[in-house]
Amino acid sequence: MRTDVGKLAGVVGIFCNGLLFFGKLVAGLLSGSVAIVADAVNNLSDASSSVVTLLGFRLAQQPADADHPYGHARYEYLWGLMVAVLILVIGVELVKSSVEKIIHPEAVDFSVLTVVILVGSILVKLWMSFFFGSLGKRIHSLTLEATAVDSRNDVITTACFVGFLFRIKIDGYIGLLVAVFILHSGVNIVKETISPLLGEQAQPDLIEKIKELVTAPDEILGVHDLLIHDYGPGKCFASIHAEVNADLYS
């Protein structure tokens, strides 16, 4: 099921982001807005990250082999990290273009078609954020949760057209604020995806459940040295030392 969910998310992401790229590119060229053109390029990178997500889920489901006896599920963490890096790259590029727009401000001309395209893209991205977020929580996937955050960032980026409707030359400033927000979320996602790769501590409730399970028999007096290794979603391995009365086996 996990692979099927990953494939579904990848296909939906490729289709929707490809469609939004062409729509926003037209809107950005018609209006002359650097923020919207950058947002269009962001959607193109999102389509690429959806391809990465699709490949990640396929590779993660490879069976264990002699070189990788615990399977390949950690591939999913690696692809989630790649999505986070793409988010950071987009944030940096948006900072550059926004600063240039602040130094050399230009009027932004909005037409009805441009507004319709942008409002439509906001609605699509809102749906995508909820869609990827719900799938990510359902299968506990950091990759899909990172994709949901990226979709939410796109909603905020596209919302910059509100200021333009009032003919205010804030294109560069809004782009810069959005870039800072994108970079902040990208850094957080990097931390979340690197942590399990480095070997983070298991959740307290999981530790307690394992201890309760092992100490359930009356013969077990206590436990210590519990080690839990995370080899990817659904691939946890644990070892524990159990204490017993030596007289029972003497």
Side-chain angles (χ1 to χ4, degrees):
M1 185 195 73
R2 189 176 189 85
T3 304
D4 292 337
V5 171
K7 289 179 180 178
L8 174 63
V11 171
V12 169
I14 294 170
F15 175 78
C16 291
N17 285 310
L19 187 64
L20 291 176
F21 164 70
F22 287 108
K24 289 182 181 180
L25 182 62
V26 171
L29 294 176
L30 290 176
S31 63
S33 168
V34 63
I36 297 176
V37 172
D39 194 22
V41 176
N42 184 25
N43 285 138
L44 184 60
S45 71
D46 288 343
S48 301
S49 69
S50 294
V51 175
V52 168
T53 299
L54 191 59
L55 292 174
F57 275 98
R58 290 182 64 88
L59 290 174
Q61 292 304 311
Q62 292 184 91
D65 53 37
D67 295 326
H68 306 90
Y70 298 104
H72 300 78
R74 278 185 175 175
Y75 267 124
E76 190 174 329
Y77 295 152
L78 292 174
W79 296 121
L81 181 60
M82 290 183 65
V83 172
V85 171
L86 286 174
I87 293 175
L88 291 175
V89 171
I90 291 299
V92 171
E93 290 301 317
L94 186 53
V95 166
K96 294 179 181 179
S97 59
S98 298
V99 170
E100 179 67 24
K101 200 72 171 182
I102 292 174
I103 297 175
H104 304 289
E106 297 177 3
V108 178
D109 183 23
F110 266 72
S111 63
V112 175
L113 176 60
T114 301
V115 174
V116 170
I117 292 175
L118 293 179
V119 172
S121 66
I122 288 176
L123 295 176
V124 172
K125 274 296 181 177
L126 276 174
W127 176 81
M128 291 176 66
S129 179
F130 286 114
F131 177 71
F132 291 131
S134 62
L135 291 182
K137 291 179 180 178
R138 181 178 179 182
I139 63 174
H140 305 289
S141 170
L142 289 176
T143 300
L144 292 184
E145 290 179 8
T147 305
V149 172
D150 191 33
S151 296
R152 182 198 64 190
N153 292 344
D154 288 343
V155 172
I156 298 173
T157 303
T158 307
C160 69
F161 81 90
V162 174
F164 304 151
L165 294 177
F166 297 97
R167 305 300 180 182
I168 304 174
K169 295 182 180 180
I170 57 174
D171 188 21
Y173 295 100
I174 291 179
L176 186 59
L177 288 174
V178 171
V180 171
F181 179 81
I182 290 175
L183 289 173
H184 176 70
S185 63
V187 170
N188 288 337
I189 295 173
V190 167
K191 291 179 180 178
E192 292 176 1
T193 52
I194 286 181
S195 184
L197 288 172
L198 294 178
E200 64 182 358
Q201 178 63 285
Q203 294 297 320
D205 59 339
L206 177 60
I207 295 175
E208 290 303 317
K209 287 180 181 179
I210 293 177
K211 289 182 177 180
E212 290 176 5
L213 178 65
V214 176
T215 56
D218 295 335
E219 294 83 1
I220 305 299
L221 303 179
V223 294
H224 60 86
D225 292 344
L226 171 61
L227 299 175
I228 302 176
H229 304 277
D230 183 357
Y231 289 94
K235 297 288 184 180
C236 285
F237 296 85
S239 63
I240 189 170
H241 291 189
E243 302 167 0
V244 298
N245 188 340
D247 295 336
L248 295 175
Y249 305 95
S250 60

